[in-house]
């Protein structure tokens, strides 16, 4: 049942990305181009998403547990560290250069656009390289966290 619900949620998310224009890199780049061909329409999409998430989290976290799992899987820390900031910068630069973030890029794969066909493998390579760097640091004893951040459950 969890797989079916996960599939349906992902499908709804993907359709929402396509309908909203988030899977169109030209629209995204126009949104980011404040002094050129600025298109503010994605701000409404993002604002709607933030509002739904804000309300949704408030309602869902009132429950003792999620519907299809034994417990909530929430971040165990609110620490803003170099790793988080580096990831945010890499994400933002990639979004600004490519016009994609991971979800819309994967959603746009069936369109077979050349930009998508370059961006997605580069994104996967970057994810793989990040894991390798983290593993290397963990085995060499380099400073910083080598593993995943601790997670806590809500009971």
């Amino acid at each position: 049942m969890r797989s079916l619900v996960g599939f349906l949620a992902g499908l709804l998310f993907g359709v929402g990305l396509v309908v909203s224009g988030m899977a169109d890199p030209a629209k995204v780049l126009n949104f980011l181009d404040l002094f050129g061909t600025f298109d503010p329409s994605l701000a409404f999409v993002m604002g709607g998403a933030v509002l739904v998430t804000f309300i949704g989290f408030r309602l869902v976290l009132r429950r003792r547990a999620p519907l299809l799992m034994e417990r909530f899987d929430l971040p165990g820390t609110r620490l803003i560290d170099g790793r988080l900031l580096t990831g945010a910068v890499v994400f933002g630069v990639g979004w600004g250069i490519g016009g994609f973030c991971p979800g819309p890029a994967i959603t746009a794969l069936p369109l077979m656009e050349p930009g998508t066909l370059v961006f997605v493998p580069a994104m996967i390579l970057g994810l793989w390289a990040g894991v390798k760097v983290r593993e290397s640091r963990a085995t060499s004893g380099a400073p910083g966290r080598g593993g995943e951040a601790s997670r806590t459950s809500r009971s």
Side-chain angles (χ1 to χ4, degrees):
M1 182 63 152
R2 269 184 34 202
S3 295
L4 176 63
V5 170
F7 172 77
L8 292 174
L11 183 64
L12 179 63
F13 178 70
V15 168
L17 290 173
V18 171
V19 169
S20 70
M22 290 287 292
D24 179 4
K27 187 168 187 74
V28 172
L29 290 173
N30 285 337
F31 171 70
L32 297 172
D33 188 3
L34 298 177
F35 302 109
T37 57
F38 180 64
D39 176 2
S41 62
L42 290 184
F44 296 106
V45 172
M46 288 186 222
V50 167
L51 180 64
V52 168
T53 301
F54 179 81
I55 294 169
F57 265 79
R58 298 294 177 277
L59 295 174
V60 167
L61 292 178
R62 289 182 182 172
R63 302 179 54 86
R64 285 187 63 74
L67 292 175
L68 300 175
M69 294 184 69
E70 294 179 16
R71 60 186 169 84
F72 288 100
D73 189 16
L74 301 170
T77 181
R78 292 184 177 193
L79 177 68
I80 298 176
D81 60 3
R83 196 171 138 207
L84 176 67
L85 294 174
T86 301
V89 167
V90 169
F91 178 91
V93 168
W95 194 31
I97 290 172
F100 280 123
C101 61
I106 292 169
T107 302
L109 267 177
L111 301 175
M112 301 297 285
E113 295 288 333
T116 309
L117 297 177
V118 170
F119 181 86
V120 171
M123 176 184 71
I124 292 169
L125 180 64
L127 290 168
W128 176 82
V131 168
K132 291 300 178 191
V133 167
R134 189 172 41 192
E135 287 173 355
S136 171
R137 283 186 170 179
T139 58
S140 71
R145 295 187 305 231
E148 291 297 315
S150 65
R151 296 194 178 264
T152 59
S153 66
R154 182 181 168 110
S155 52

